[in-house]
Amino acid sequence: MKIRSFLSALGASAVLLSGCALLQPPAPVVPLKDGELAIPADYKTWPKFLSEVQRPDAKQVREIYMNPVATQGTQAGGFPNGSVFVMENYAAKVDADGKALVGADGKLVKGNLLRVFLMGKNEGWGQSAPEGLKNGDWIYAGYLGNGDKAPEPASACRTCHMPLTQSKDFVHRYDEYFGKVASK
């Protein structure tokens, strides 16, 4: 009888302890800094934010992916914490005179992958950015087409995204994307 009581008490203790473990808050998100966001291996399986963005001024074509968390964003509320965008920059193919080639569809012809840029958002991210270059909780990272870290500092990304302000969640083509989503 004593063994049965002991085992019963031990089982109750185990249930209580496991319940306590379940009630503990989730581990805090470690704030990342610019340059610390790695290229996600599966990003090409993510939904497209925008596809074949034409930049004739830069002789580039851009493909922009967004992780599933970012798809929960709204025009009124912006993108939630956990959002990540990956932008591939491709050189446009050029002719012998350096003029960008245009396909039958009127779009630039995509050439080699030049760069991969990332922007990610989470609570406390970007807090180490210099004053005057803070873009909310967004951080940035850049990579060369071969996967090596890009030599350009993330301050170039921050400077480019600054004019968009909090009302556009510091995201280029914000209205274009949400206009496309609303029309579906």
Side-chain angles (χ1 to χ4, degrees):
M1 188 68 168
K2 286 183 180 183
I3 292 176
R4 186 177 292 169
S5 294
F6 173 75
L7 291 175
S8 179
L10 183 62
S13 296
V15 168
L16 284 173
L17 288 175
S18 69
C20 289
L22 293 175
L23 296 177
Q24 290 186 8
V29 175
V30 176
L32 295 181
K33 298 176 184 161
D34 287 334
E36 294 181 347
L37 195 57
I39 299 173
D42 65 341
Y43 79 87
K44 288 192 181 232
T45 67
W46 295 355
K48 292 271 182 100
F49 177 70
L50 295 170
S51 186
E52 295 185 11
V53 176
Q54 302 290 295
R55 290 292 310 270
D57 58 318
K59 294 183 183 173
Q60 290 182 359
V61 178
R62 297 177 177 177
E63 298 287 347
I64 307 170
Y65 299 85
M66 60 194 304
N67 70 352
V69 172
T71 64
Q72 303 305 307
T74 65
Q75 189 161 17
F79 294 97
N81 286 337
S83 294
V84 176
F85 290 88
V86 177
M87 179 175 71
E88 298 174 325
N89 285 10
Y90 290 88
K93 290 187 176 184
V94 295
D95 63 18
D97 296 327
K99 183 179 174 195
L101 296 175
V102 177
D105 59 0
K107 294 182 178 183
L108 296 173
V109 178
K110 193 184 332 180
N112 294 330
L113 179 64
L114 299 172
R115 299 267 193 285
V116 177
F117 293 104
L118 292 97
M119 69 185 284
K121 180 181 184 182
N122 225 324
E123 187 175 338
W125 289 13
Q127 67 186 2
S128 64
E131 284 304 320
L133 286 179
K134 292 187 186 238
N135 301 101
D137 286 328
W138 292 101
I139 59 167
Y140 304 88
Y143 296 87
L144 301 176
N146 66 5
D148 291 344
K149 284 221 175 207
E152 301 88 4
S155 60
C157 299
R158 292 185 165 285
T159 300
C160 188
H161 285 259
M162 263 323 269
L164 301 167
T165 72
Q166 189 70 37
S167 67
K168 304 286 184 208
D169 205 5
F170 303 100
V171 175
H172 281 283
R173 299 179 177 260
Y174 188 87
D175 291 330
E176 182 181 348
Y177 169 73
F178 284 112
K180 184 178 92 173
V181 169
S183 69
K184 286 185 177 180

